[in-house]
Amino acid sequence: MRRPRVKVPPGHGQAYYHCVSRVVGREFLLGEAEKEQFVRYMRLYEKLYGLRVISYAVMSNHFHILVEVPQRPADSELPDDAGLVAHVRSCLGDEAATELEWELSHYRGQGNDKSAEGLRERWFSRMWDISRYMKVLKQRFTQWFNGRHNRRGTLWEDRFRSVLVEGKGAAIKTMAAYIDLNPVRAGICQDPKDYRWCSYGEAVAGGQLAQKALQWLQSFRVDSLGGVEHLAGSDAAAVSPAPVVPNKEALERWRCYLFGVPYSEKARTEELQKEGQGGEAHVFRARISREKALEVMRKGGRLTQSDYLRCRVRYFSDGAALGTKSFIEEVFQSAREHFSPNRKDGSRPLKGLELAPKSQRIYNMRQLQRNVVS
C-alpha cells in the first residue's frame, strides 16, 4: 500500500511542499522545447489553482518544485459565479470560461442550485491542493509531450514524491537553494543564472513571479548554512520576517546565500581581511571552489561568472518533512498513526549542521546517513 502523503498540521495558514517526479526509466527526454512547455503549464496551473511556486528546476529527466499551498478559503469567501468565470477566463481563456458561464447560467435559470453548486465545487475542489496540482500538471504535460513525439503511455515514473517544509527561516531557504542549484550539481552549468529553467535563472532574466518569490525568501534574514552572515540582534530576530527587500538587493542576497558567503559589507570585509593577513575567510559551502566563493564575496552577490556547488543531499527528497524541531514534532504528532508505536518522537537532526546556531538547525522525520553539506 502507498504511504499516506504527509500534510501540514491543522492551524497552519499555508503549507510548503518540495515535489519531485522523474521521467519513466529516468530517460533524458526533456529538451529545451519540453522544458519551456513544462514551465508554461507549471505557471498556468499555479495561477488557476491559487498556489505559489517558490522555487523550481526542470531537468532533462526530472523536475523539482517548491510550492506554497494556502488553506482553502471558507465557503463564504469563495468567489461568486461571475468571479469564478472571470478567474477561469484569465487562466484558460474564453472557450473554457464561456462553457462554464453557460452551464452555471443554465442551472441557475432552471432553479437547479444544487447542480450549479456541484459544478462550482468541481472547480474549487481542484484548487489549494498539492495533489490535484501535481496530477493535472503531469497529465497535461504528458498529453502535450506524447502528441508532439507521436508517443503513447505514461511519461512519469510512479507518483510524485513530496517533502513538507516549514515555511520560514533556514528550512525554506535551504530547500529553495538546493532546488536552484540542481543544474549546477548536474554539471550542466557553473552558475544557476545561466540555466533558463530554474527559478533563479528566471528571476535574473526578469521574471516577475520568480523575483517576487526571491524577495519573499529574503524576508527571512537567516544566513547560509553554518552562520557565515553575521546578523545583529537576537536569535529570534535572525529568523523573524523582515520588510520585503528591493529586487536588486534580493538577487544579490540570494546569490551570496547560494554560494555560502556573507552578504553584509561589514562581514565580507572582516572575512576578506583574514585572507590578506595570512588567514582564511569563512566559506562554509562544501565542494565549492574557494577562489570563486571569494570572488562572489568580493562582488557582494553582484552577478559574475562563478564556480558550482556540489551538494549530495537526500534530505530534500526523502526526509518526509523538514523544519525546526518544534515544527517536526507537530507534524509527527499529527501523523502519529503512520509510525511505529515504539517511536517516541519525530525530529531527527540533519547530519553536518551541528555547528550551526540553534535557531538555524534543521530537522526532519527520517534520519538519513548522508552528510547534508558534503
Side-chain angles (χ1 to χ4, degrees):
M1 292 180 61
R2 289 180 173 178
R3 299 181 66 173
R5 199 171 299 281
V6 175
K7 295 292 185 76
V8 71
H12 288 259
Q14 293 84 24
Y16 297 85
Y17 297 97
H18 170 217
C19 303
V20 184
S21 193
R22 299 185 182 278
V23 170
V24 66
R26 306 199 176 188
E27 295 183 68
F28 294 87
L29 299 182
L30 308 184
E32 292 189 2
E34 288 76 17
K35 293 172 185 175
E36 292 281 0
Q37 187 63 40
F38 184 91
V39 172
R40 290 192 195 102
Y41 284 137
M42 179 192 77
R43 291 300 191 190
L44 168 65
Y45 292 109
E46 170 193 18
K47 180 180 179 182
L48 180 63
Y49 289 171
L51 314 178
R52 180 168 65 145
V53 172
I54 303 298
S55 184
Y56 72 89
V58 184
M59 310 299 286
S60 298
N61 67 348
H62 70 284
F63 66 81
H64 299 258
I65 308 179
L66 177 59
V67 188
E68 177 188 81
V69 183
Q71 293 283 351
R72 173 174 169 158
D75 288 348
S76 60
E77 299 175 355
L78 292 173
D80 59 14
D81 292 358
L84 176 59
V85 169
H87 179 65
V88 171
R89 178 170 281 109
S90 71
C91 298
L92 302 181
D94 288 338
E95 184 176 351
T98 299
E99 181 179 352
L100 172 61
E101 186 175 33
W102 183 90
E103 288 186 85
L104 287 171
S105 177
H106 178 70
Y107 289 137
R108 299 296 188 195
Q110 292 180 327
N112 189 356
D113 289 339
K114 181 178 180 180
S115 294
E117 292 302 320
L119 176 59
R120 284 165 51 83
E121 179 57 28
R122 286 198 293 276
W123 281 93
F124 291 135
S125 66
R126 306 171 198 171
M127 302 177 184
W128 313 292
D129 186 286
I130 189 61
S131 297
R132 292 293 188 95
Y133 173 68
M134 292 299 298
K135 180 180 179 180
V136 73
L137 174 59
K138 292 173 65 176
Q139 285 182 344
R140 186 67 187 91
F141 181 78
T142 297
Q143 293 168 357
W144 177 89
F145 183 91
N146 285 354
R148 177 181 174 87
H149 295 280
N150 194 26
R151 179 185 180 277
R152 291 188 176 185
T154 184
L155 177 63
W156 304 104
E157 183 179 83
D158 204 7
R159 68 172 184 164
F160 73 95
R161 291 183 295 162
S162 67
V163 174
L164 177 65
V165 183
E166 187 172 15
K168 64 180 181 179
I172 194 76
K173 292 188 71 173
T174 303
M175 181 67 83
Y178 164 77
I179 293 171
D180 271 338
L181 288 164
N182 259 261
V184 176
R185 288 195 304 277
I188 297 173
C189 60
Q190 293 187 343
D191 191 317
K193 75 175 177 61
D194 298 320
Y195 192 72
R196 288 162 49 194
W197 306 284
C198 74
S199 46
Y200 179 63
E202 180 183 331
V204 170
Q208 292 186 0
L209 292 175
Q211 287 182 351
K212 287 180 180 179
L214 267 189
Q215 286 180 297
W216 178 79
L217 284 169
Q218 296 316 304
S219 70
F220 300 105
R221 298 295 180 84
V222 298
D223 59 4
S224 302
L225 299 178
V228 297
E229 183 177 352
H230 307 295
L231 297 172
S234 64
D235 286 345
V239 297
S240 61
V244 175
V245 299
N247 263 342
K248 184 175 182 294
E249 182 182 340
L251 287 167
E252 292 174 359
R253 281 184 174 276
W254 190 243
R255 185 166 185 78
C256 287
Y257 187 77
L258 288 177
F259 284 89
V261 300
Y263 172 74
S264 72
E265 184 175 358
K266 179 181 177 182
R268 294 201 314 272
T269 301
E270 290 175 353
E271 294 300 327
L272 290 171
Q273 283 176 347
K274 296 177 183 178
E275 292 286 316
Q277 298 170 354
E280 284 193 344
H282 186 180
V283 177
F284 183 82
R285 299 280 191 186
R287 301 194 184 188
I288 189 170
S289 164
R290 185 168 188 81
E291 292 74 17
K292 289 297 182 180
L294 291 174
E295 182 180 336
V296 172
M297 192 184 299
R298 293 187 189 99
K299 298 287 187 179
R302 293 183 295 277
L303 290 176
T304 182
Q305 188 64 29
S306 305
D307 203 354
Y308 60 89
L309 172 66
R310 294 191 180 275
C311 180
R312 300 172 62 88
V313 183
R314 287 178 58 221
Y315 292 93
F316 301 110
S317 55
D318 293 336
L322 194 78
T324 58
K325 188 172 184 178
S326 60
F327 175 76
I328 297 303
E329 291 299 338
E330 186 179 1
V331 173
F332 174 72
Q333 293 300 328
S334 70
R336 187 67 185 82
E337 68 274 13
H338 302 323
F339 296 88
S340 166
N342 296 327
R343 183 162 177 175
K344 304 303 181 185
D345 56 15
S347 60
R348 300 290 184 268
L350 270 65
K351 292 180 179 295
L353 298 182
E354 293 85 354
L355 298 181
K358 286 186 177 181
S359 63
Q360 297 169 32
R361 290 180 188 173
I362 307 174
Y363 298 78
N364 71 357
M365 285 205 296
R366 294 178 189 151
Q367 180 69 73
L368 303 175
Q369 298 306 309
R370 191 179 298 278
N371 189 312
V372 70
V373 292
S374 66

